[in-house]
Amino acid sequence: MSLETYQKKRNFKRSPEPRPGKVKDSKKGVHAKYMIHEHFASHHHYDLRLEVDGVLKSWAIPKTPSAKESTKRLAIEVEDHPLSYGEFEGTIPKGEYGAGRVLIWDQGTWSGWDEDAYKKGKIELDLKGQKLSGRWLLIKADFRGEKKQNNQWLFFKAPEKDN
Ligand code: MN
């Protein structure tokens, strides 16, 4: 896990966002952090963030996440963010990367990380948030058969299992 891209994209003399710092060991399993930021950037969107191996893996979601069955949201994987970003709320100034207000829209914990599943493009998330909870899926989209190269995923509530 690396925060190099995160660092390169930002000017921390101008942006109030957290400096990357060192990637520390972090919790896996039941107490890993989960949050979604609402980001009033030039294109309003949401940012899903999942604590994995000392960073926040991140996906930008152009439309409001919905727990309604069969409502799939496009989720574009973006650069890893530092863990300290989880508590960040503030306004990124005009002219800076991601300029606009950032608010925490939902937060809690998650489990379900599996490196192989991630590489294969199917993550089953167990979310314990205020707005979103239960089983959710992140599935790599296969637009134009470019599954391996692209960064586009679909984020949606998992259908109830038949028992
Ligand atoms: Mn964003």
Side-chain angles (χ1 to χ4, degrees):
M1 303 294 165
S2 164
L3 296 171
E4 208 177 310
T5 309
Y6 175 87
Q7 168 108 43
K8 278 186 185 157
K9 287 189 168 190
R10 292 169 176 82
N11 176 358
F12 296 101
K13 288 188 179 128
R14 294 200 20 97
S15 174
E17 295 169 290
R19 287 169 188 268
K22 284 201 177 125
V23 177
K24 291 177 190 141
D25 288 341
S26 76
K27 301 171 210 110
K28 278 187 193 156
V30 290
H31 297 300
K33 286 182 192 169
Y34 140 79
M35 78 286 307
I36 292 178
H37 281 108
E38 184 170 7
H39 190 174
F40 297 86
S42 53
H43 292 278
H44 173 255
H45 63 272
Y46 296 82
D47 289 297
L48 166 67
R49 309 195 194 282
L50 302 171
E51 178 180 0
V52 175
D53 291 344
V55 300
L56 295 172
K57 297 214 74 64
S58 299
W59 286 260
I61 301 175
K63 289 185 180 172
T64 317
S66 168
K68 229 188 258 173
E69 206 164 307
S70 81
T71 305
K72 295 183 170 73
R73 292 297 188 226
L74 180 65
I76 300 151
E77 189 173 6
V78 297
E79 75 274 17
D80 295 344
H81 280 50
L83 274 189
S84 53
Y85 210 98
E87 286 84 49
F88 175 68
E89 289 191 315
T91 300
I92 301 166
K94 263 188 191 169
E96 297 306 304
Y97 177 71
R101 206 162 159 222
V102 177
L103 296 173
I104 294 169
W105 182 79
D106 193 21
Q107 60 185 332
T109 59
W110 86 288
S111 60
W113 175 251
D114 177 331
E115 182 86 33
D116 288 338
Y118 168 71
K119 284 180 183 155
K120 282 179 190 153
K122 184 180 177 182
I123 309 171
E124 291 189 38
L125 309 96
D126 185 10
L127 297 183
K128 289 190 173 68
Q130 315 264 306
K131 289 194 172 86
L132 308 189
S133 62
R135 280 183 65 239
W136 287 68
L137 294 169
L138 262 172
I139 302 215
K140 202 154 202 184
D142 188 11
F143 301 123
R144 298 179 205 158
E146 292 172 342
K147 198 171 189 168
K148 279 183 187 141
Q149 292 83 4
N150 81 42
N151 58 355
Q152 303 189 61
W153 299 63
L154 295 169
F155 177 59
F156 56 99
K157 184 95 169 70
E160 296 301 323
K161 275 182 182 162
D162 303 327
N163 288 318

